Amino acid sequence: MKTRFRYFDFSLFIAVLMLVGISSIMIYSASVWNRGDYANSGLFYRQLVYAGIGIVVYFIATMFRYENFRKPNILYGLYFISVVLLFITWAMPPLNGARAWLIIGSFTIQPVEIAKFVLILLLANYYHQLWNGELKGLPGRLGRAAVTKKGIRAQFGAFFMIPVIYFFFPYAIAINGQPDMGGLFVLGAIMFLMWLAVGAPLRIIVPAVLAGVGLVYLMFTTIFSENQRSRIEVVFNPFMDPEGYGHQLLMSIISIVHGGVTGVGLGNSYQKYGYLPEPETDYIMSIIAEELGFVGVVVVLFLLFFIAFRAVNIANHSDNHFAMFVSFGIAAQIMVQTGINIGAMSGWFPGTGVTLPLVSYGGTSLIMTMGILGVLSSISMRNRHREATRRAEIREKSAENVQGSSLHVVR
């Protein structure tokens, strides 16, 4: 244990701790009104508990051998559990217009947060098998044809259709029944970015993207509820319903403008006093922008981008496809959620309930994100240990060569 801990990725962990610390401070400030109950810091203390659990989960995941996630009983067991939990939410009472939470007493669990990580594992394992010729049955035949013969139909089937049908569709069906379009969009975006990372040919990515855009438009015109369509429409004109669907966006924009470059000061936000609904969750960045200004926003985004780029760097130093693809998937999740959350609070994307990683209030989101980053830390430790061992072997061989040359000179 001590030997492995020598290669612990402190830069990644420090960035995580800094974001969790900023999150705790801003949740304490943003939740001072706490849905009309002034000076009730219950949400703040809950978040501290979640953060403590998250840190424990982070270290457990760091010490866990990430290769074990490739074992079928673990991987597909997690897949089965995550899908079942998503379907169970259909029987739960709605919260904020969606049945996206498992309600257990006073606690809520959002299974889509588990699904994000499991989808990354499923895709990483599948594409690892694809590139290493380990697939069997129909996926194996398509995979061999896609990699060797490079036929467009085989590539479309191996890179796109099989993972979509086997892994994405069950999640899409379960999430659409809640409905949680934000969670579904995050899963789809993670899948798309992983296609780019695993080397899917451009000639199948373009048709896949066009098909996805067409599917979204079809859903918008046929399946989306009036609530979902209104959330999208107010992005283009929030003043069409300033007291309804456009209210949260307008209050968020006012917060951003009010904060300016340096902010109005920590704890001095006006919008959190009942104007901006639930500011500690999806719109916590609006409060950061108001109280800490553009400078505070840049600091938070810098830390999130640092974690994402660190994940990409870890992927580039991995010695197997599975570790590489998992790291890229984690980077994709961080970037996608950050982009959607910032887009929602600034009027570039519909408000869909997507949290800001490590910053927004929420137990499931925080604990799962820290667990995922713990897996990334495990991959980083393995990379550092392998590289340190390789350097030690090179030094040892160099010393032997020098010693051999000295003996030869003496003779």
Side-chain angles (χ1 to χ4, degrees), residues 118-147:
V118 177
L119 180 65
I120 291 172
L121 294 177
L122 289 167
L123 293 175
N125 182 64
Y126 172 80
Y127 288 117
H128 172 93
Q129 292 177 322
L130 175 64
W131 282 113
N132 291 277
E134 299 175 3
L135 292 173
K136 298 178 181 179
L138 176 61
R141 291 195 296 272
L142 285 173
R144 285 188 293 274
V147 174

Side-chain angles (χ1 to χ4, degrees), residues 83-379:
V83 172
V84 169
L85 290 177
L86 285 169
F87 277 109
I88 291 176
T89 60
W90 290 14
M92 295 289 133
L95 290 176
N96 299 326
R99 303 175 190 273
W101 291 267
L102 294 174
I103 302 174
I104 305 173
S106 60
F107 292 93
T108 58
I109 300 174
Q110 197 168 11
V112 73
E113 298 295 337
I114 303 172
K116 294 171 188 174
F117 177 53
V118 177
L119 180 65
I120 291 172
L121 294 177
L122 289 167
L123 293 175
N125 182 64
Y126 172 80
Y127 288 117
H128 172 93
Q129 292 177 322
L130 175 64
W131 282 113
N132 291 277
E134 299 175 3
L135 292 173
K136 298 178 181 179
L138 176 61
R141 291 195 296 272
L142 285 173
R144 285 188 293 274
V147 174
T148 58
K149 299 178 182 179
K150 299 184 179 179
I152 187 169
R153 286 183 295 180
Q155 288 180 337
F156 190 77
F159 281 97
F160 178 71
M161 289 305 298
I162 288 176
V164 166
I165 293 173
Y166 283 20
F167 307 138
F168 185 74
F169 272 2
Y171 283 138
I173 294 169
I175 293 173
N176 187 61
Q178 296 177 339
D180 178 13
M181 292 301 107
L184 185 58
F185 187 87
V186 171
L187 291 179
I190 289 173
M191 193 166 198
F192 169 72
L193 291 177
M194 288 192 70
W195 282 336
L196 299 178
V198 303
L202 186 63
R203 63 178 179 173
I204 72 164
I205 291 179
V206 173
V209 170
L210 294 176
V213 172
L215 180 61
V216 170
Y217 178 76
L218 181 64
M219 293 174 64
F220 178 79
T221 56
T222 59
I223 299 176
F224 279 16
S225 65
E226 183 63 30
N227 172 53
Q228 292 169 330
R229 284 196 293 269
S230 298
R231 284 179 177 270
I232 296 174
E233 290 168 354
V234 296
V235 172
F236 302 99
N237 181 17
F239 291 97
M240 65 180 287
D241 189 10
E243 298 298 326
Y245 293 108
H247 176 75
Q248 200 167 24
L249 175 56
L250 288 173
M251 295 301 103
S252 174
I253 292 173
I254 291 172
S255 297
I256 298 169
V257 174
H258 188 211
V261 176
T262 58
V264 297
L266 185 63
N268 294 330
S269 166
Y270 296 136
Q271 295 301 112
K272 65 187 179 184
Y273 291 104
Y275 298 103
L276 180 62
E278 300 186 14
E280 70 281 351
T281 55
D282 311 341
Y283 285 82
I284 192 167
M285 188 61 101
S286 302
I287 303 301
I288 294 175
E290 186 178 10
E291 295 189 350
L292 305 181
F294 178 74
V295 174
V297 172
V298 168
V299 170
V300 173
L301 291 180
F302 172 80
L303 291 171
L304 287 167
F305 288 145
F306 173 82
I307 292 173
F309 285 120
R310 187 80 192 94
V312 172
N313 182 262
I314 291 169
N316 289 331
H317 285 82
S318 298
D319 64 343
N320 64 83
H321 286 107
F322 179 71
M324 182 187 301
F325 297 155
V326 168
S327 301
F328 273 124
I330 293 171
Q333 179 179 340
I334 297 296
M335 294 295 289
V336 167
Q337 286 196 211
T338 300
I340 293 176
N341 185 275
I342 298 301
M345 58 86 75
S346 57
W348 289 94
F349 199 86
T352 54
V354 175
T355 58
L356 188 63
L358 299 173
V359 181
S360 294
Y361 173 80
T364 312
S365 174
L366 178 61
I367 293 170
M368 281 304 305
T369 302
M370 294 195 73
I372 290 170
L373 294 174
V375 174
L376 182 66
S377 175
S378 175
I379 297 172

